[in-house]
């Protein structure tokens, strides 16, 4: 029923890559107007045509857009958008996947978050649902985030979205091979050099 819409989402947000199972379940729930997952994970998925946050310059004035330093930052951000596949608003700002070509391909896609200050964060977990649940565990009525995560995992499983673990301490915490924050700085520096700003 949603095959074409999922294919469109994949083309726009994931460069045509297959939509992970948990993301597919969450997207269909949002499109059906269900709030059960949204209430638990506090994620709002991008609609068609929404601008990638790293490509959005609409908040900048003409003077800022003409500034060589800002142009260097925007050019670096545009290159980063080829690796940072954000799919939802939530977490610290936006959340999605880190798909740099130097990352291992024999594991689930790394998760990444981008905050409104353009700082990158590495969520724990193998899937978007796990990463979002791990983050939300710190905001529950239950003060122990480990217990809160177990409760969230159980609720998600009841809704048909089982996680790989109910144990917060067992969540995947594999480091990036290429750190987004460091690459962003390298790209900005390279763009500054191109513009004679160094």
């Amino acid at each position: 029923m949603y095959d074409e819409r999922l294919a469109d989402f994949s083309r726009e947000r994931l460069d045509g890559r297959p939509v992970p199972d948990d993301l597919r379940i969450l997207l269909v729930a949002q499109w059906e107007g269900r709030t059960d997952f949204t209430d638990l994970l506090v994620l709002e998925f991008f609609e068609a045509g929404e601008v990638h946050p790293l490509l959005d310059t609409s908040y900048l004035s003409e003077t800022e857009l003409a500034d060589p330093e800002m142009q260097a930052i925007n050019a670096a951000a545009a290159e980063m958008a080829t690796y940072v596949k954000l799919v939802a608003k939530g977490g610290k700002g936006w959340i999605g996947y880190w798909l740099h070509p130097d990352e291992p391909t024999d594991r689930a896609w790394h998760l990444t978050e981008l905050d409104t200050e353009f700082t990158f964060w590495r969520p724990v977990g193998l899937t978007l649902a796990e990463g979002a649940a791990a983050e939300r565990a710190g905001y529950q009525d239950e003060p122990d985030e480990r217990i809160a995560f177990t409760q969230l995992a159980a609720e998600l499983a009841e809704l048909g979205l089982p996680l790989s673990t109910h144990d917060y301490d067992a969540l995947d915490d594999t480091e990036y091979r290429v750190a987004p924050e460091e690459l962003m700085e390298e790209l900005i520096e390279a763009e500054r050099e191109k513009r004679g700003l160094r």
Side-chain angles (χ1 to χ4, degrees):
M1 180 174 170
Y2 288 101
D3 289 350
E4 189 55 41
R5 199 164 175 186
L6 286 163
D8 289 343
F9 187 92
S10 169
R11 280 189 292 275
E12 186 170 355
R13 301 291 164 193
L14 302 171
D15 291 336
R17 293 175 179 89
V19 176
D21 291 342
D22 67 315
L23 176 56
R24 181 182 42 76
I25 290 168
L26 294 168
L27 282 168
V28 169
Q30 177 172 301
W31 295 336
E32 289 177 343
R34 292 172 38 208
T35 60
D36 42 10
F37 292 118
T38 305
D39 292 345
L40 289 177
L41 300 178
V42 193
L43 293 177
E44 179 187 347
F45 294 95
F46 289 116
E47 294 294 340
E50 282 191 71
V51 178
H52 190 300
L54 286 171
L55 301 176
D56 184 9
T57 58
S58 63
Y59 62 94
L60 297 172
S61 69
E62 285 185 31
T63 303
E64 289 170 315
L65 288 170
D67 176 60
E69 180 68 26
M70 187 56 70
Q71 289 175 351
I73 293 168
N74 288 338
E79 188 167 344
M80 285 296 289
T82 64
Y83 312 127
V84 178
K85 300 303 175 188
L86 300 173
V87 296
K89 301 163 199 164
K92 295 172 174 60
W94 305 278
I95 189 167
Y97 305 99
W98 175 236
L99 298 177
H100 191 278
D102 290 342
E103 293 297 330
T105 56
D106 61 346
R107 54 156 280 132
W109 296 341
H110 269 297
L111 301 174
T112 193
E113 283 185 279
L114 178 68
D115 69 21
T116 54
E117 301 298 317
F118 278 20
T119 300
F120 292 94
W121 301 83
R122 184 175 51 86
V124 296
L126 286 173
T127 65
L128 187 73
E130 286 183 7
E135 181 150 327
R136 293 308 309 158
Y139 298 95
Q140 304 301 303
D141 291 335
E142 167 56 57
D144 185 332
E145 68 184 357
R146 287 163 179 75
I147 294 171
F149 177 79
T150 299
Q151 292 168 345
L152 280 171
E155 290 180 68
L156 289 168
E158 285 177 23
L159 292 171
L161 183 54
L163 304 183
S164 69
T165 182
H166 285 211
D167 180 356
Y168 183 89
D169 293 324
L171 285 166
D172 182 80
D173 195 19
T174 305
E175 294 283 339
Y176 298 128
R177 187 172 287 171
V178 177
E181 195 79 19
E182 292 173 18
L183 181 59
M184 181 74 168
E185 286 303 316
E186 289 171 18
L187 293 173
I188 291 172
E189 283 307 308
E191 292 294 336
R192 284 178 176 145
E193 278 188 33
K194 284 183 195 174
R195 291 164 174 77
L197 299 174
R198 293 191 67 218

